[in-house]
Amino acid sequence: MHALMNARMKLKPVMLVLVTVAFLAALSTTAFGQCSMCRSALAGSSNAFFVRNFNIGVLVLLVPPVTIFCSIFVALKRYKKADDEDQGDQTS
């Protein structure tokens, strides 16, 4: 049990660094979710309001797939945890 707690303590700084890097990458101006064709078409546009709204729209369209992926991941993790608890009860 002590080894598990020690491993978790070592993992916390790594996770903090990864989350920080991901957050900073998301704030980058080049992190807008555009394909190269959309970017080149918008580069010629002089309407900054349209370009900003287009970037927001692309990011909004990214939300449903990410939500579905995360939901599946959480459901599988909970299923595995419940299965592990059931295995522990049966061996006792």
Side-chain angles (χ1 to χ4, degrees):
M1 177 146 169
H2 180 63
L4 181 63
M5 288 183 64
N6 195 13
R8 284 186 180 174
M9 294 301 288
K10 289 181 183 178
L11 189 63
K12 281 186 180 184
V14 173
M15 289 301 293
L16 181 63
V17 169
L18 288 175
V19 167
T20 304
V21 168
F23 181 72
L24 291 175
L27 289 179
S28 170
T29 57
T30 60
F32 294 119
Q34 294 180 5
C35 66
S36 59
M37 287 179 58
C38 294
R39 188 175 315 220
S40 64
L42 291 175
S45 177
S46 62
N47 190 350
F49 182 71
F50 175 73
V51 173
R52 180 179 165 273
N53 285 340
F54 186 84
N55 287 329
I56 291 171
V58 169
L59 293 176
V60 166
L61 288 174
L62 183 66
V63 171
V66 170
T67 303
I68 291 169
F69 174 77
C70 290
S71 299
I72 292 170
F73 181 75
V74 167
L76 289 175
K77 190 141 177 95
R78 286 183 181 173
Y79 176 75
K80 184 180 181 326
K81 184 177 179 182
D83 192 36
D84 288 345
E85 288 175 358
D86 287 345
Q87 290 286 336
D89 291 343
Q90 289 178 357
T91 58
S92 298

